[in-house]
Amino acid sequence: MAVKSLSIEKQMRSARRAFDDATEEMIKHAESLGIETVFNRQAKYDESFLGIEKSRCYFGASGVCCRQCVMGPCRIWLEDMPMIYRLSAAKLNKGTCGASVDTIVARNLLMMVGRGTAAHASHALHVASTLLKTAQNKTPYKIKEPEKLRSIAAKLDIDAAQGTESAAIEAASTAISDLVHDKSAMKFATSYCPASTGKTLLGLGAIPGSVGSELLAEGHETSMGTMADPVSLILHAARLGVADIASLIISSEFQDVLFGIPAPVQSKIGFRVLDANKVNVVIHGHVPLLSEKLVELSEDEELLKSAKASGASGINIVGCCCTGNEVLMRHGVPLAGSNLQQELVIATGLVEAFVADIQCIYPNVENVAEKFHTKIITTMKEARLPGALHIPFQEEYADEAARRILETAVANFQKRGKNTYLPKGEPKNLIAGFSVETCLGVLSKINPADPLKPLIDNIVSGNIYGAVLLAGCTSSKVTADASHVTIAKALMKQNVLVIATGCAAQACARAGLLTPDASQYAGDRLKGVLGLLGETAGLGKPLPPVWHFGSCVDNGRVVILAGALSEKLGVPVKDLPIAASAAEWMTEKAAAIGTGAVALGLTVHLGVTPPVIGSPAVVSLLTQKSEELFGGKFIVEVDPVKAAQLLLEHIKEKRRKLGLAI
Ligand code: NFS
Ligand code: SF4
């Protein structure tokens, strides 16, 4: 991608704020009540004067603002800045200390990737220590999938014959040491990385030590007057990206061990999954440790009895964001919304308790809840809100915390006011619960001896032209969901299999793309494959053209699948006809996953411009040089139609190089 074609373009947004009618209706309803949400705040920030956004700072958006020390803040003069910024900046291409624009941009990016990695590693640590304590019989959880534990043990060279508990203790301890001890190579990175990729990473010095030591070094390097070499800073970001993906794998694999491997499940998405007759509990966040217990306890006789005594017909648990994805894929719990809908879900007036664990929780949920009876309940020490009720979650006492939360929700039912509202239209049906194991299970019905072969045959013939992972968030900077949906439809039409995770999967679900019917949008060749797989799976209908692979941490599953394909074919990941797209990304976590994916050899599309364009050197490292070094690169394209074309061209190029039908 030409460096100069990157600029701070206005993001693509139509007059609509959300692609989904129900969301659009709820935004209007919230406005009519004087409730402010992410959508109004975005609009305020987007207001412009003489064609220039008044409140999004050009320096910050370009990544050239440095606040590393108090001789600053320093902001670097950019030739192509709008006049208003040129008037307010010193005509200097260095900070007060002399830091170059490349140093400043690279340093800012590394810090962003660092925060994302810290979030995922902290999640992984919670899950690993729960597995450890469970194996030591100190929690109310059980090891649900000893078979999965054995496959993890095999990867890590742990002797599974020592028995489930001992193997679990060893696997969990390996993960904990990968996360917080001082070591030279993360075992989960080296063990799960396909051999060819591992070799490249090793050669580049991009195999991470423990996440803790990498983050310590990151904090040190980015402090004032320390690392000034942009290439070293970006390489460190790549190393942290790999550590991030290894952390995702820890969470995803251990969650399967504790809670079960997802299998295809039918459910629904939309505001109307809230039930006016029941006690509604929204579970929001990312770690399924508490939410598993809430789902389990929602059937508890005593709690149901008190719910009924309050006049409710039952307890209705619904999901939001990635905690929602976790309980959806394992229990079919319906989804109320993604990150952008969290305030609107409360604005229905129907929520008795809004329970948050960690990450992607908008602090404003408290202000929305104040207008209603809704209790916001925080549970984790990392994510408290100043006015929320805090019911601390500890894995040893998970049952007690879950009971207290549901009791609070039930007691709140009678306080529900009259001001309730649900938008028109039924919730959308969806199928979720894809995992590597599910895929192999279906494929092994076609070829028991060699399950990956049917998949490979279809890729070779072009029935499956390629595969693209739609990952990451939904963003108010674009028309919410529209970028994901546009790209998904354009790709499936060209016989590209679409896999989706996180809020991107929910965006596709809201557009009805997670249903067998949606296979009508697929090209004929892909439609044939989906039909055959659906029959084989015993669905009696085609598989959906978008496969919901779980939450954002389940991007780890996709990396494992890509690795398996790569090893089976003897083709490095970077040469496979696959790519990823984070069309509406917004979090640091997405930056970390994307950087890790590029380091592993994947090409990753970004539909929202990253804050790096102030440095042509950094842009070139991310979009060009990374391909020479790692085999993967970023493509930045805000127009989803053009983005789909670029992704297709990328796949075509890879097919051509492999000598496959194009
Ligand atoms: Ni991923 Fe999931 Fe959603 Fe984005 Fe946030 S909930 S972890 S970060 S916004 S997809
Ligand atoms: Fe300015 Fe340098 Fe301090 Fe950054 S570290 S704020 S560029 S003086």
Side-chain angles (χ1 to χ4, degrees):
M1 144 147 312
V3 174
K4 69 177 184 355
S5 72
L6 268 186
S7 64
I8 303 212
E9 290 174 64
K10 231 183 144 31
Q11 292 295 145
M12 305 280 293
R13 209 169 75 209
S14 66
R16 288 179 72 108
R17 286 165 290 184
F19 184 76
D20 165 56
D21 288 340
T23 302
E24 191 78 3
E25 188 181 333
M26 273 311 293
I27 297 171
K28 290 192 183 123
H29 173 69
E31 277 169 348
S32 75
L33 297 179
I35 294 173
E36 177 207 87
T37 65
V38 64
F39 295 97
N40 332 100
R41 293 188 295 272
Q42 180 72 51
K44 280 268 173 224
Y45 273 108
D46 281 354
E47 277 173 14
S48 61
F49 176 66
L50 298 177
I52 296 162
E53 277 184 14
K54 281 197 297 192
S55 36
R56 296 267 181 231
C57 169
Y58 198 89
F59 300 102
S62 320
V64 303
C65 167
C66 182
R67 290 189 296 116
Q68 243 62 352
C69 84
V70 290
M71 286 199 289
C74 301
R75 39 194 216 172
I76 304 298
W77 171 274
L78 296 172
E79 276 308 323
D80 57 357
M81 278 190 303
M83 183 57 86
I84 188 168
Y85 290 99
R86 296 158 71 101
L87 289 173
S88 68
K91 201 167 178 193
L92 252 182
N93 63 359
K94 289 187 175 66
T96 310
C97 68
S100 73
V101 70
D102 302 327
T103 301
I104 292 173
V105 170
R107 196 155 59 186
N108 284 338
L109 180 68
L110 174 56
M111 290 190 292
M112 187 179 204
V113 170
R115 289 192 300 280
T117 307
H120 282 141
S122 173
H123 176 156
L125 189 58
H126 280 293
V127 179
S129 58
T130 303
L131 178 61
L132 177 70
K133 289 180 196 162
T134 301
Q136 294 166 335
N137 221 357
K138 292 181 188 159
T139 76
Y141 300 99
K142 297 259 167 316
I143 291 178
K144 217 173 184 172
E145 297 279 0
E147 193 52 45
K148 174 102 193 198
L149 181 67
R150 275 191 281 280
S151 79
I152 298 169
K155 283 242 180 212
L156 299 171
D157 294 325
I158 290 173
D159 176 18
Q162 60 185 307
T164 302
E165 275 69 31
S166 309
I169 290 172
E170 207 178 325
S173 305
T174 304
I176 293 169
S177 104
D178 270 2
L179 294 165
V180 292
H181 291 176
D182 188 21
K183 66 197 310 190
S184 57
M186 235 182 136
K187 183 93 182 164
F188 270 81
T190 52
S191 311
Y192 277 79
C193 213
S196 59
T197 314
K199 232 164 115 191
T200 311
L201 294 177
L202 191 65
L204 290 166
I207 299 276
S210 77
V211 183
S213 61
E214 291 293 351
L215 287 174
L216 189 69
E218 176 257 320
H220 183 191
E221 279 172 27
T222 57
S223 68
M224 196 272 170
T226 309
M227 177 64 81
D229 173 27
V231 176
S232 301
L233 289 161
I234 297 298
L235 259 178
H236 195 161
R239 207 157 60 235
L240 270 176
V242 175
D244 183 82
I245 291 195
S247 306
L248 303 183
I249 291 176
I250 293 173
S251 298
S252 194
E253 294 280 82
F254 287 175
Q255 284 166 191
D256 280 0
V257 170
L258 286 166
F259 307 129
I261 298 169
V265 62
Q266 307 211 13
S267 190
K268 292 183 188 300
I269 186 167
F271 296 96
R272 278 183 171 268
V273 302
L274 294 166
D275 186 333
N277 298 316
K278 291 187 176 165
V279 175
N280 289 308
V281 179
V282 179
I283 47 181
H284 176 26
H286 289 80
V287 201
L289 297 173
L290 170 66
S291 47
E292 277 286 323
K293 285 290 173 192
L294 290 170
V295 172
E296 188 185 309
L297 220 64
S298 65
E299 317 252 302
D300 178 82
E301 270 179 34
E302 229 172 274
L303 282 163
L304 282 176
K305 221 158 98 195
S306 53
K308 287 190 179 140
S310 312
S313 67
I315 299 173
N316 182 36
I317 309 263
V318 301
C320 185
C321 292
C322 281
T323 284
N325 281 328
E326 296 285 349
V327 288
L328 161 71
M329 63 187 180
R330 295 203 178 84
H331 306 286
V333 169
L335 288 167
S338 328
N339 64 329
L340 289 175
Q341 277 86 6
Q342 57 189 286
E343 292 157 298
L344 298 174
V345 170
I346 300 171
T348 60
L350 286 165
V351 179
E352 274 60 55
F354 183 92
V355 188
D357 51 70
I358 43 168
Q359 304 167 11
C360 300
I361 304 150
Y362 296 168
N364 194 55
V365 289
E366 283 196 319
N367 303 324
V368 182
E370 261 172 26
K371 309 246 180 195
F372 303 93
H373 69 308
T374 306
K375 281 237 183 303
I376 305 282
I377 304 175
T378 55
T379 56
M380 308 281 277
K381 62 182 187 308
E382 297 93 336
R384 295 190 65 154
L385 294 169
L389 172 64
H390 189 71
I391 300 184
F393 168 81
Q394 270 180 299
E395 48 270 24
E396 290 89 337
Y397 310 105
D399 285 331
E400 289 80 351
R403 186 170 291 278
R404 248 188 91 194
I405 288 168
L406 291 186
E407 279 168 359
T408 309
V410 168
N412 203 20
F413 181 74
Q414 285 188 332
K415 302 207 183 97
R416 190 189 284 174
K418 296 257 170 300
N419 195 6
T420 65
Y421 185 88
L422 282 172
K424 289 186 287 294
E426 287 307 304
K428 296 278 174 20
N429 290 321
L430 63 89
I431 294 180
F434 287 82
S435 58
V436 180
E437 289 83 352
T438 316
C439 294
L440 291 178
V442 175
L443 292 167
S444 68
K445 289 188 188 161
I446 303 174
N447 187 337
D450 192 356
L452 277 176
K453 189 162 185 299
L455 187 60
I456 288 168
D457 289 347
N458 276 300
I459 295 174
V460 169
S461 71
N463 287 341
I464 298 176
Y465 196 65
V468 170
L469 165 67
L470 298 189
C473 331
T474 49
S475 173
S476 57
K477 272 198 167 177
V478 297
T479 297
D481 294 356
S483 302
H484 291 303
V485 174
T486 307
I487 292 173
K489 281 194 171 168
L491 291 175
M492 65 179 74
K493 204 168 161 198
Q494 302 300 327
N495 301 303
V496 173
L497 178 65
V498 179
I499 290 175
T501 52
C503 290
Q506 299 179 1
C508 292
R510 267 187 296 274
L513 298 180
L514 268 53
T515 58
D517 281 354
S519 62
Q520 61 176 303
Y521 301 119
D524 286 340
R525 303 183 73 168
L526 179 63
K527 211 186 290 174
V529 178
L530 296 170
L532 174 73
L533 291 176
E535 287 303 328
T536 314
L539 210 65
K541 288 177 186 168
L543 287 186
V546 177
W547 293 2
H548 187 319
F549 247 69
S551 66
C552 264
V553 302
D554 292 319
N555 285 318
R557 295 184 198 279
V558 185
V559 170
I560 293 172
L561 185 59
L565 272 178
S566 148
E567 302 226 308
K568 170 86 190 156
L569 284 165
V571 171
V573 170
K574 68 182 172 65
D575 295 330
L576 294 174
I578 58 176
S581 164
E584 303 184 25
W585 77 286
M586 57 103 188
T587 60
E588 301 109 319
K589 290 181 289 174
I593 302 177
T595 307
V598 166
L600 294 179
L602 282 163
T603 286
V604 178
H605 159 245
L606 300 177
V608 177
T609 312
V612 296
I613 63 161
S615 163
V618 171
V619 171
S620 148
L621 276 168
L622 298 174
T623 60
Q624 292 170 339
K625 295 226 172 67
S626 59
E627 193 169 26
E628 292 159 28
L629 296 171
F630 296 98
K633 64 172 185 298
F634 283 108
I635 301 175
V636 182
E637 176 53 69
V638 297
D639 178 344
V641 176
K642 288 191 195 146
Q645 276 164 4
L646 290 172
L647 289 163
L648 275 168
E649 274 163 29
H650 169 79
I651 290 173
K652 193 172 189 180
E653 185 53 30
K654 297 290 166 185
R655 291 188 68 90
R656 184 180 297 124
K657 283 205 177 132
L658 286 172
L660 305 180
I662 52 173

